[in-house]
Amino acid sequence: MSRIGKKPIVVPQGVTVKVGADSVEVKGPKGQLMQAIPPGIGFDLKDDTLEARIIGNTPGMGKFHGLARSLVANAVHGVSEGFTRELDIVGIGYRAEVKGRQVVFTLGYSHPVVFDVPDGIDVKVDRQMHIAVEGVDRQLVGQVAANIRGLRKPDPYKQKGVRYTGEVLKKKVGKTGASGNVT
């Protein structure tokens, strides 16, 4: 049995959970999610807690026990509070602005970079340098933030680019120039 899988999931007020044979549907104030669960794992809803259990005596199901519990816990947290990833744009002339369901980036290329925002995700830009990616699906929020960061990864030499808020980069030294040895 998994230690993570044994932990009960507390269902907050305003969140409804519907347990099916192969999925768990969660509805809350921020939206709704349907999370597929691996075969051999079941969920029991008792009062305001949700518990994951292994069905049968199949060996090797402990890893899926913890995984399924974490995925459903993320869904419950997402529909009740939501998830946010924040990024910073560092560099002279680098900026971003939201236009409808697109974010237009100026990142030092010869052309502006247009990023389409997927459904279920909200992107907010503060001071043209700070981006907040918000949504109910933790995996989708993280993937969109990673895709935005990938438009101009942080440069270890000049420290420019798009980075997560609080990300610390190790600055590398550049070339030392002429060493004086001319042959």
Side-chain angles (χ1 to χ4, degrees), residues 60-182:
M61 290 305 290
K63 55 189 170 189
F64 295 117
H65 186 217
L67 169 74
R69 187 255 177 221
S70 294
L71 292 174
V72 173
N74 286 340
V76 169
H77 184 273
V79 298
S80 62
E81 299 176 27
F83 291 100
T84 303
R85 282 302 297 227
E86 295 183 355
L87 299 109
D88 290 323
I89 301 173
V90 179
I92 295 176
Y94 289 12
R95 62 183 174 273
E97 63 178 318
V98 177
K99 292 184 179 178
R101 295 294 297 163
Q102 294 181 331
V103 184
V104 179
F105 292 94
T106 304
L107 297 173
Y109 297 120
S110 62
H111 59 282
V113 179
V114 178
F115 183 82
D116 294 322
V117 179
D119 294 335
I121 297 293
D122 292 326
V123 176
K124 297 176 184 171
V125 177
D126 288 340
R127 305 179 314 267
Q128 296 182 341
M129 305 295 275
H130 184 79
I131 303 167
V133 180
E134 300 174 350
V136 295
D137 188 356
R138 182 176 186 173
Q139 294 172 355
L140 186 59
V141 168
Q143 186 62 52
V144 169
N147 291 345
I148 290 174
R149 183 180 183 269
L151 296 175
R152 179 68 117 179
K153 289 186 179 175
D155 179 29
Y157 297 102
K158 295 186 179 181
Q159 304 284 305
K160 300 190 313 184
V162 180
R163 64 176 86 160
Y164 297 117
T165 300
E167 181 180 5
V168 178
L169 297 177
K170 191 170 186 179
K171 186 169 173 78
K172 292 184 177 180
V173 294
K175 292 183 178 181
T176 58
S179 61
N181 296 337
V182 179

